[in-house]
Amino acid sequence: MRILLLLTAIAAASQAQTDCSQGACYPSSNDLLLGRSQLLHASSTCGLMGAEIYCTPYQQRKMECCPCDSRNSNSKQAHTVRDALPTSGPNRWWQSVKEVSPVTLQLNLDNLFQLDNLVLNFKGPRPSAFVIERTLDNGRSWQPDLYLATDCEGTFPGIPTTAPQRLDDPYCSTLPPTGANPYQDHQIQFSPLRQYANVPATKSQIIEDASALTGLRVRFTKLGDVPRPPGRAFSRFYAVREMRVMGSCMCHGHANQCLPDTSNNLPADTVQVHPRCDCQHNTAGVNCERCADLFQDLPWRPAEESNPHTCKRCECNNHAKRCHFDPARYEASGRRSGGVCEGCMHNTTGPKCDQCAQGFQPNPRSQINRSNACIQCSCSPDGSMSDACDPISGQCSCRSYFQGLKCEVCSQGYWKPPFTGCCQTCGCDSTRSYGDTCDQVTGQCQCRPGFGGQKCTECAENTYGDPLIGCKLCRCDAEGTLSEICDKRTGACLCRPGVNGTRCDLCSRGRCDSFPGCETCPSCFFTLDAQREKLSSALEKLSLRLPSRPIDGDLGNFTPRIRALEVSLTLIQNSISLPPSAAVQIDDALSKLNMLRDQVDKINNDLSPLERAPGLDSELERLQALLYSLTLEYKAKMDGKDNSVGKNDTGALSAIRNAYNESTDAAKRVNSTKKLLKESADIREATMDLQNKVQPSNTGDLQKLNQNMASQPNLTPVAKQVCGSVRSEPCTPLQCAGGDLCPPDGTPPCKKGQVCVGALPLSKRADADAKNVKDRVDKLTGKITDAVQKLQQTQETTNLVRKSAEKLSNKMKQARDELEDDLKETRDVVNNLKDFLSDPFSNLTSIQEVSDWILNTKLPLNLAELMRKLKQLQDLAASLPDSSSVLKEAEPQLEAAQKLLQEAQDARDMVLGGKADVDGLLDGFASVEGSLSDLEDRLQNTMDDINNLNLTKVNDQLSPAEMAVDNAEKLIKPLKPQLDELKDLLQTAAPLAQNLEENAESAEDKAAAANKDLLTLEEQLGRLKDQVPATGSGGSELGDRVTKLREEAGALANSTNNMMTALQGKADSLRGLQDEIRQKSTTLEGLDVKLKELLDQLRQKAKDFSTCQG
């Protein structure tokens, strides 16, 4: 029984959302975008004006650039807003123009719907901030429902980040981090019910205030952050792979399904969430937003979980099809009723159609809730001022001298003659009448005794003469006279038709019935009467021939003649011919008369002779006295009737006559039921006969059954099987003396290991065992939960290892890129140095400075040390652990744990399912307990294995790799400033070398010119020597000048030779230095190759770490 009640409760809970009888109900949810793709719009879409190029990361440190061309929406390169629908297919998405913000996605629904959940699947990069908004007025105003941002305080200052405590509180939710790759897909969900879960409000209130919408808008306000590596520029844009707007038609809790809108003319196969609700609770409208036309007695309210707020029917007494709600009337009634009926039918009016309209009055023969409750006012056209009457009382508005409900009678003292439209005065004699009142129809005044006539100026009724002298009584039979009885002057009786006589007490000829009936004779009478007249005339003729009858009465010898007359009479009788119909009727009457005579004779013969009973005389006298008293009373009442009933009592008699007719009709209806009553009596009699026939045998059988139940059946064995009774004496339904048949309440159940007898003890023990098993299952469930948590922790550790591998891979990539850049830069410096040193026109001073700097430069490591470091890096790369192997080692243990978890869950389901079958549960307790113990041991071993699973080994083995990369960075880092200094020195020496080359060329040109001048001077000097004499002052001065010139030329030649010698030495030292630099460059090139190999190995290891899946 408990299980049945539990299942019933679960079934009731599962139907709570669809059963509208107990409270609020809601339709099932579906995607509002289905069938409404044309209503979704985007403020920005890429490629509408032409193809645009978008660049995103691809694999490792690569970049992929793809076009977007949405001019043809069916193209694979198009990314319109239609591609964000779930029906667009795989590899389709909407994408905005790059570097454009803000951008909106807007869905115009044109009807009121209920939002259950919004799902946005972003194709990276995910926005850094956006707002979800909804509208209730088709886009005229928007209200934010949820702010989302990676930095809520910085992006939306003033918007709280704590869960809202009221339905109108704004809220900003912090977006989760995007991870290392911002271009990967992300999903964001928004549900009003989940967002306002902490608000102290019912589900119906949250739906009313936070879920209703006619449009939805997602406003992207900030582009997502993307990496910016050197030499690459990734595109920033908004992109949505799939958008789902889950909801249903908004019904305010008054419907459990949506109906198609017939005005949309959609194809029959269109799949869509329809906007019209299948309204319940007497509500109406597209969204059940109002009460139905005739159910406006209470204000409309949304349904709640425990109160459907059913609309109440207006009390219109079946005279209206619609009503409206009046708040003032509702408050005035104490919040009990506020409905006002509209369009009252059947000639009714009023807030509840409970009054008759103008020109109509209540029908006294009907009720207010019937269609004939009001009938048209029947005001007298003569006495009423209009056709209208009071709608409650039916009183017409009367003219002067008229009165009555319909103004159909004259006022007191007036009467209305027939065929006239006005009232006349009664004109009663004031001394001979009781007042100036008369009959409304006849004008008859109420006369005093002894007076009569219309105005009481004549003798009273049934009298004649002069009232001033004295009136005489009419000597007429009242039953045979007219209403006037006799002539007021002469006293002659005024006989009614068919009556004659002086007193009007005889029937006229042709009247066959006796007085006072005097009914007209049938037609055959007049035929026979004519024949009688003929016979009478014939007899009159015969009587003239016959002598007069003797005085003494003796016929004497008239016998023959009488006989002859009889023969003649027979001949005459035979000669008379009757009409055929009359002859037949006479024959039939005679035959019936004979039959009746025979029956009377038979009855008289059958009757026993009457015996005079004693005491009948006194009884007969008493009855005669009673008859006499009744006769006197009857005559007195008849006299009172004759005296009281007059012309002015016609109305009362008419009412009595109508009542009599109604009573007669009722009596007829009662008489018509006599047949049914007779049939009922016959059935009852037949039933009694049948009961009398069957009852004795049934009584005997019952007595036998009582006797048998006193000795059998013996309930003791059954009690042992049912409740484990220990009774040994027999027990029957009528005799069960001794102890209790079953153990009393509170008897302890049989313990485990004892033998249980009876279904009830077995069931109690089974219930206790089931509770024990349930407790153990609960403990097992707790252990399963712990195992799941540890598995989850293991999974998180694995994820951390994977993230560490990804981090190491990124650092390796960065180190490799920096090393490649540095090597490239080193090559460029060496090449520039080679070009500078090999240039024959370089400035010797600059060459000296460069050479001195290179000779003074101390490399951070010698070749052997550098080779040793490279060897360590290679060994470290070779010794790096394979994370896939580590995870592969853990995989069997994880699979075993998952398998054990599945077996434990199956065992738990088996135990819970077995609880419903008590017998099967009892049979399988031992195996279930063993299974539970085994599962607990295996689960404990699995948890120990999980605890022993040391995934931190990977982190320990990855740490040396990170240190090696850091050492490589430290090894390369000191070279960089020295290379930069060498580069600056070369850049400074380059223009100096160029100037030196120009100066050398100028000096060479000057030296050549000076040599030519020197030769010219020598030639001129020779000529002068030949021309000048050997002695003389002038000659000595000239010789001194020549000598001085020769000395200066010799000094110049010596300095030039010394400079050339010094340059030659410098050239030799530079050549040696150049050879040494070339050797070191060659060594660096070999190290470059080895570094590339090492970086390739590190790259491969990083790839293994980043791609392992555990």
Side-chain angles (χ1 to χ4, degrees), residues 81-283:
V81 72
R82 306 291 183 273
D83 296 322
L85 300 177
T87 57
S88 61
N91 297 325
R92 305 291 293 180
W93 66 88
W94 163 82
Q95 186 170 313
S96 70
V97 177
K98 57 186 176 182
E99 298 297 334
V100 173
S101 184
V103 174
T104 60
L105 288 179
Q106 183 170 331
L107 174 62
N108 301 318
L109 293 172
D110 298 334
N111 289 100
L112 189 64
F113 286 89
Q114 173 183 327
L115 176 64
D116 294 335
N117 194 20
L118 171 64
V119 182
L120 294 173
N121 288 325
F122 289 100
K123 177 179 174 59
R126 189 194 65 191
S128 295
F130 60 99
V131 185
I132 299 175
E133 301 172 320
R134 61 188 175 98
T135 178
L136 292 172
D137 52 9
N138 296 317
R140 287 187 292 272
S141 63
W142 294 87
Q143 60 185 36
D145 276 350
L146 179 63
Y147 296 86
L148 300 102
T150 55
D151 181 12
C152 286
E153 295 180 356
T155 307
F156 302 113
I159 303 298
T161 58
T162 58
Q165 300 299 320
R166 296 184 305 174
L167 293 177
D168 56 351
D169 287 348
Y171 172 59
C172 181
S173 176
T174 302
L175 292 171
T178 57
N181 183 12
Y183 284 89
Q184 62 184 356
D185 293 354
H186 297 269
Q187 185 182 87
I188 298 296
Q189 294 191 21
F190 164 65
S191 174
L193 288 177
R194 289 197 298 268
Q195 176 170 321
Y196 298 103
N198 296 329
V199 175
T202 62
K203 177 182 177 182
S204 60
Q205 291 175 341
I206 296 176
I207 291 176
E208 288 296 319
D209 297 338
S211 295
L213 77 165
T214 60
L216 181 69
R217 184 169 71 181
V218 181
R219 184 161 50 90
F220 305 113
T221 60
K222 186 176 181 181
L223 291 166
D225 295 332
V226 297
R228 299 181 180 275
R232 297 175 179 86
F234 296 143
S235 302
R236 294 199 308 166
F237 51 87
Y238 299 112
V240 176
R241 183 179 295 277
E242 184 178 82
M243 179 178 181
R244 290 180 180 270
V245 184
M246 306 302 293
S248 63
C249 51
M250 184 62 182
C251 304
H252 305 286
H254 292 302
N256 56 8
Q257 63 176 343
C258 305
L259 299 177
D261 191 355
T262 56
S263 62
N264 287 341
N265 298 322
L266 295 175
D269 57 347
T270 301
V271 179
Q272 190 182 73
V273 178
H274 301 296
R276 180 174 293 276
C277 302
D278 185 12
C279 297
Q280 308 292 324
H281 308 151
N282 301 326
T283 58

Side-chain angles (χ1 to χ4, degrees), residues 426-447:
C426 295
C428 301
D429 193 304
S430 59
T431 60
R432 302 176 184 180
S433 64
Y434 286 106
D436 193 16
T437 59
C438 61
D439 187 86
Q440 294 286 331
V441 179
T442 62
Q444 177 64 48
C445 299
Q446 295 183 0
C447 301

Side-chain angles (χ1 to χ4, degrees), residues 661-678:
N661 292 335
E662 292 179 358
S663 177
T664 304
D665 295 338
K668 290 181 181 179
R669 290 194 294 270
V670 172
N671 293 332
S672 64
T673 61
K674 289 183 178 180
K675 184 177 180 181
L676 295 176
L677 293 175
K678 185 176 183 305

Side-chain angles (χ1 to χ4, degrees), residues 443-474:
Q444 177 64 48
C445 299
Q446 295 183 0
C447 301
R448 296 180 180 272
F451 296 94
Q454 183 177 1
K455 299 183 179 180
C456 303
T457 57
E458 300 176 357
C459 290
E461 188 177 359
N462 200 20
T463 60
Y464 69 95
D466 189 355
L468 297 178
I469 300 175
C471 297
K472 300 179 180 179
L473 185 65
C474 295

Side-chain angles (χ1 to χ4, degrees), residues 550-572:
I551 298 175
D552 54 4
D554 185 13
L555 297 178
N557 57 357
F558 286 102
T559 300
R561 296 185 64 182
I562 292 174
R563 303 256 184 212
L565 289 175
E566 289 179 351
V567 172
S568 300
L569 184 59
T570 303
L571 292 174
I572 293 171

Side-chain angles (χ1 to χ4, degrees), residues 193-506:
L193 288 177
R194 289 197 298 268
Q195 176 170 321
Y196 298 103
N198 296 329
V199 175
T202 62
K203 177 182 177 182
S204 60
Q205 291 175 341
I206 296 176
I207 291 176
E208 288 296 319
D209 297 338
S211 295
L213 77 165
T214 60
L216 181 69
R217 184 169 71 181
V218 181
R219 184 161 50 90
F220 305 113
T221 60
K222 186 176 181 181
L223 291 166
D225 295 332
V226 297
R228 299 181 180 275
R232 297 175 179 86
F234 296 143
S235 302
R236 294 199 308 166
F237 51 87
Y238 299 112
V240 176
R241 183 179 295 277
E242 184 178 82
M243 179 178 181
R244 290 180 180 270
V245 184
M246 306 302 293
S248 63
C249 51
M250 184 62 182
C251 304
H252 305 286
H254 292 302
N256 56 8
Q257 63 176 343
C258 305
L259 299 177
D261 191 355
T262 56
S263 62
N264 287 341
N265 298 322
L266 295 175
D269 57 347
T270 301
V271 179
Q272 190 182 73
V273 178
H274 301 296
R276 180 174 293 276
C277 302
D278 185 12
C279 297
Q280 308 292 324
H281 308 151
N282 301 326
T283 58
V286 176
N287 304 107
C288 306
E289 73 279 5
R290 58 180 175 83
C291 290
D293 290 340
L294 198 57
F295 296 86
Q296 303 274 353
D297 201 46
L298 295 177
W300 176 91
R301 292 181 60 186
E304 298 179 357
E305 283 69 16
S306 59
N307 190 352
H309 291 298
T310 303
C311 294
K312 182 181 177 182
R313 182 186 180 95
C314 294
E315 298 178 4
C316 296
N317 296 294
N318 299 328
H319 298 311
K321 295 183 179 180
R322 58 184 300 116
C323 59
H324 70 270
F325 178 76
D326 186 355
R329 185 179 181 87
Y330 178 69
E331 295 294 336
S333 67
R335 295 177 174 264
R336 292 191 302 271
S337 174
V340 178
C341 303
E342 296 180 357
C344 294
M345 303 180 297
H346 309 141
N347 308 316
T348 61
T349 186
K352 297 184 177 181
C353 299
D354 53 353
Q355 301 175 8
C356 292
Q358 185 176 5
F360 294 86
Q361 63 182 15
N363 187 355
R365 298 179 180 271
S366 182
Q367 298 178 0
I368 191 59
N369 59 353
R370 296 182 180 178
S371 59
N372 61 343
C374 295
I375 57 177
Q376 190 170 9
C377 295
S378 55
C379 299
S380 172
D382 297 331
S384 177
M385 299 179 64
S386 64
D387 295 335
C389 63
D390 187 86
I392 299 177
S393 63
Q395 177 64 51
C396 300
S397 178
C398 300
R399 298 177 184 272
S400 300
Y401 311 124
F402 283 92
Q403 66 179 8
L405 190 66
K406 303 177 182 179
C407 303
E408 75 280 11
V409 296
C410 295
S411 302
Q412 186 176 2
Y414 292 86
W415 73 289
K416 181 182 177 183
F419 309 109
T420 62
C422 59
C423 293
Q424 298 180 1
T425 58
C426 295
C428 301
D429 193 304
S430 59
T431 60
R432 302 176 184 180
S433 64
Y434 286 106
D436 193 16
T437 59
C438 61
D439 187 86
Q440 294 286 331
V441 179
T442 62
Q444 177 64 48
C445 299
Q446 295 183 0
C447 301
R448 296 180 180 272
F451 296 94
Q454 183 177 1
K455 299 183 179 180
C456 303
T457 57
E458 300 176 357
C459 290
E461 188 177 359
N462 200 20
T463 60
Y464 69 95
D466 189 355
L468 297 178
I469 300 175
C471 297
K472 300 179 180 179
L473 185 65
C474 295
R475 299 182 180 273
C476 305
D477 193 327
E479 293 184 349
T481 62
L482 298 174
S483 59
E484 293 82 359
I485 301 179
C486 67
D487 187 271
K488 295 297 182 180
R489 293 183 294 103
T490 62
C493 297
L494 302 177
C495 299
R496 60 183 175 83
V499 179
N500 58 11
T502 305
R503 299 183 64 252
C504 298
D505 55 356
L506 299 175

